[in-house]
């Protein structure tokens, strides 16, 4: 028996299951597996639960799926016990929710905090994983479940001289717990993805000067935040179970009837009306679904792009700045669009400047600030990096995972990740990934996808135990088939045409592979269910 880092309780060094990560996925796994009678330990690098919502404390951080949907739906009692205050809750409120879930099910007693899993080695003779942690503990387990998150491994800034800056440096995804006061400071923000776009208007309120360094403009729509709207609450109140079931059987994990209207065949007034209706919802899924063909064909997609650009021009006073903020290099939706509160209007403020890095790239970061290629040198008190993540695979390959016959996950996935259903990868028996590459994950309401994966894996472990099996691994043919299918689904869309983190394009040297499964939450769930109905088709068990 060994002690956890908090010294709170003795922990067994040999368990049925180790779960890596205590975000929403890890929390639900622990609850579910405990209920099935498995011995479980959860190992978490952070000092508390929450995952994404523990780490991303930058100003303005909120969810971009409405809280009516971005919430656990597996337990009516949990839903009864919690009320969200806003359409899009802030990071502190979502973190409180994660903490509330941990307390509701008394989860913390089986979680080791401040404990990073550094290595995992499969012992074929023993039929177990042997894990090594940053606290130098060695743990044996029959099953390892990686609930390490899709957006949890920050990407390095990759800018020459980044370590030379003498002022304060912040990373949005590792924001200080006590917050930062930028009052009177000259601040640089590098990056205009969701994190940059959420934080920039708030930093602008404090800073004496704010300079935004934009490499690629992003599409953003106003969130229209406020109290949870009655029309969202009504169907939930009327029949909670039916609402949650509709989400599970939807394309993106939020109940929405798919449209049959094609943009390319619609008259201008229909296009305008449908776009405006979606824009007014202030929600991502409707604006991603204005037309049935918008993610398939460039001309249909361009209708949406140009309407968003019109909105930008209507807000931003300076035409040159408006044009610089208008995306022209990627189709709408092929990079995750953002939700904002006053983002574009921020560029009308006299103390806010946009630097278009396409025209004047950063040459290097200096002791005092940022030097641009044209010879201009800007001085700052603080630099904020909103530069994103090594998404979907980063946190998995950061652990030194060695499977059967000495195969490492890093080597196997060097040409791109290869999985069966985004749940397992051949060569790594008894190792599961929650919302892994090849599953809908980041293209969906993650709460719905996390629940589906947790339930599938938990049912699988229970079925193995019931059948007297101790080992499971996908076949080579099943994995190759799924990878082919996932690529085929992506290739008929516009998604692969963008330099997005969905494609691994934001990390130098990362192979260009479309990482999530684009076929939809509904189709994906059916595929997973069918595999089970056919007695775990595509898996070898012993
Ligand atoms: P995470 O929350 O990422 O948790 C993974 C945990 O694993 C982390 O706590 C990490 O510390 C730990 N970990 C990783 N590696 C190790 C290791 N080797 N050893 C020990 N611990 C480890 N999705 C939506 O659907 N809607 C949204 O509105 C939304 N908003 C988002 C906003 C932000 C700012 C970000 C970054 C992401 C957002 N997402 C959103 C995606 C979000 O990541 C998921 O919704 C969800 O929170 C993921 O939960 P998770 O438990 O799978 O992973
Ligand atoms: O990261 P990003 P993020 N020099 O990768 C730029 C979720 N999320 O943290 O596009 C200059 O999107 C980079 O430029 P480019 C959501 O799923 C949700 O913002 O690579 N610039 C880009 O502009 C989201 O999609 C919310 O050319 C550099 C930016 O940095 C995902 O997390 C909030 C650079 C990174 O954008 C990631 O979002 C936050 C460099 N060297 C996050 N390197 C919600 O609203 C990178 N960039 C719920």
């Amino acid at each position: 028996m060994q002690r956890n880092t908090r010294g709170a309780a003795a922990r067994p060094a040999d368990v049925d299951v180790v779960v890596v990560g205590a975000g929403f996925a890890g929390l639900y796994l622990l609850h579910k597996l405990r209920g099935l009678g498995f011995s479980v330990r959860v190992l978490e690098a952070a000092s508390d639960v929450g995952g994404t919502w523990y780490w991303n404390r930058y100003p303005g951080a909120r969810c971009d799926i409405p809280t009516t949907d971005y919430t656990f739906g597996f337990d009516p009692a949990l839903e009864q016990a919690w009320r969200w205050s806003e359409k899009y809750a802030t990071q502190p409120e979502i973190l409180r929710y994660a903490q509330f879930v941990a307390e509701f099910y008394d989860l913390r007693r089986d979680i080791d905090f401040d404990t990073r899993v550094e290595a995992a080695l499969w012992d074929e003779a023993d039929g177990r994983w042997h894990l090594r942690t940053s606290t130098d503990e060695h743990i044996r387990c029959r099953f390892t479940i990686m609930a390490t998150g899709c957006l949890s491994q920050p990407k390095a800034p990759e800018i020459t001289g980044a370590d030379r800056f003498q002022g304060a440096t912040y990373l949005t995804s590792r924001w200080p717990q006590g917050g930062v006061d930028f009052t009177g400071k000259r601040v640089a923000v590098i990056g205009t993805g969701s994190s940059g776009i959420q934080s920039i208007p708030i930093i602008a309120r404090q800073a004496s000067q704010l300079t935004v360094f934009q490499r690629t403009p992003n599409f953003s729509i106003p969130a229209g935040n406020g109290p949870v709207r009655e029309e969202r609450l009504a169907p939930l109140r009327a029949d909670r179970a039916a609402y949650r079931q509709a989400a599970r059987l939807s394309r993106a994990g939020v109940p929405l009837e798919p449209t049959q209207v094609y943009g390319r065949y619609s008259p201008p007034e229909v296009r305008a009306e449908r776009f405006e209706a979606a824009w007014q919802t202030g929600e991502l899924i409707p604006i991603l679904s204005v037309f049935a063909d918008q993610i398939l064909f460039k001309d249909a997609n361009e209708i949406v792009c140009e309407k968003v650009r019109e909105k930008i021009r209507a807000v931003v006073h300076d035409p040159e700045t408006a044009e610089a903020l208008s995306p022209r290099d990627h189709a709408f939706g092929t990079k995750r669009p953002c939700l904002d509160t006053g983002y574009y209007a921020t560029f009308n403020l006299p103390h806010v400047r946009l630097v278009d890095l396409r025209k004047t790239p950063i040459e290097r970061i200096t002791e005092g600030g940022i030097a641009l290629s044209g010879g201009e040198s800007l001085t700052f008190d603080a630099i904020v990096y909103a530069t994103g993540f090594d998404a979907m695979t980063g946190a998995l390959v950061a652990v030194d995972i060695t499977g059967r016959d000495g195969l490492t996950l890093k080597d196997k996935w060097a040409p791109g990740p290869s999985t069966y259903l985004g749940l397992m990868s051949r060569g790594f028996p008894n190792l599961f990934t929650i919302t892994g590459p090849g599953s809908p994950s980041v293209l969906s309401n993650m709460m719905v996808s996390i629940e589906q994966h947790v339930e599938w894996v938990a049912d699988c472990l229970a079925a193995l135990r019931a059948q007297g099996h101790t080992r499971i691994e996908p076949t080579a043919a099943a994995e190759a088939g799924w990878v082919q299918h996932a690529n085929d689904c992506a290739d008929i869309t516009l998604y692969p045409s963008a330099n997005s983190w969905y494609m691994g394009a934001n990390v130098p040297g990362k192979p260009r592979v479309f990482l999530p499964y684009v076929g939809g939450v509904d189709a994906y769930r059916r595929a997973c269910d069918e595999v089970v109905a056919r007695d775990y088709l595509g898996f070898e068990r012993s």
Side-chain angles (χ1 to χ4, degrees), residues 20-26 43-46 48 50-53 55-56 58 61-65 70 115-118 146-152 195 198 336 389 395 399 434-435 444-447 450:
V20 189
F24 286 126
L43 307 178
E44 168 56 61
D48 198 5
T52 288
W53 306 102
W55 294 109
N56 292 266
Y58 60 85
R62 292 176 185 275
C63 53
D64 63 3
I65 297 285
Y70 192 68
T115 305
R116 179 169 290 281
V117 174
E118 291 180 336
M146 302 298 283
T148 42
C150 295
L151 295 160
S152 56
S195 304
Q198 283 187 329
R336 191 182 178 94
F389 301 88
V399 180
I434 301 298
T435 62
S444 67
N445 170 6
M446 287 283 275
M447 291 303 234
I450 286 171

Side-chain angles (χ1 to χ4, degrees), residues 53 56 58 62-65 151 155-159 172 190-196 198 213-216 218 335-339 357-358 362 386-389 442 499 501-502 506:
W53 306 102
N56 292 266
Y58 60 85
R62 292 176 185 275
C63 53
D64 63 3
I65 297 285
L151 295 160
K155 182 187 90 92
E158 294 135 8
I159 303 176
T172 48
I190 301 178
T192 51
S194 300
S195 304
Q198 283 187 329
F213 293 84
Q214 171 193 272
R215 190 163 65 182
T216 311
N218 235 312
K335 293 179 96 159
R336 191 182 178 94
C338 309
L339 280 190
L357 298 178
R358 297 270 160 108
I362 294 175
T387 41
F389 301 88
V442 291
N499 288 324
W501 60 256
Y502 294 147
N506 65 330

Side-chain angles (χ1 to χ4, degrees), residues 382-516:
I383 299 179
V384 173
Y385 291 100
T387 41
F389 301 88
D390 183 350
M392 299 210 67
T393 54
L396 293 167
V397 298
V399 180
D400 181 9
I401 300 177
T402 308
R404 202 162 34 78
D405 305 323
L407 179 68
T408 66
L409 193 69
K410 202 171 180 176
D411 283 349
K412 181 177 174 190
W413 285 9
S418 165
T419 71
Y420 184 35
L421 296 164
L423 282 163
M424 296 193 85
S425 189
R426 183 163 173 80
F428 302 87
N430 294 6
L431 181 92
F432 294 88
T433 49
I434 301 298
T435 62
S439 73
S441 62
V442 291
L443 292 181
S444 67
N445 170 6
M446 287 283 275
M447 291 303 234
V448 169
S449 289
I450 286 171
E451 284 190 11
Q452 188 255 338
H453 263 192
V454 168
E455 287 159 13
W456 194 97
V457 172
D459 289 349
C460 173
L461 299 198
L464 289 172
R465 183 176 59 187
Q467 293 157 353
H469 295 312
T470 55
R471 188 182 192 286
I472 183 166
E473 184 180 351
T475 66
E479 184 168 307
W482 184 256
V483 170
Q484 183 66 52
H485 168 63
N487 287 338
D488 288 347
C489 288
D491 287 344
I492 58 168
T493 72
L494 297 170
Y495 278 108
S497 65
N499 288 324
S500 64
W501 60 256
Y502 294 147
M503 287 293 292
N506 65 330
V507 176
K510 194 166 171 173
R512 300 282 175 106
V513 176
F514 192 71
L515 296 166

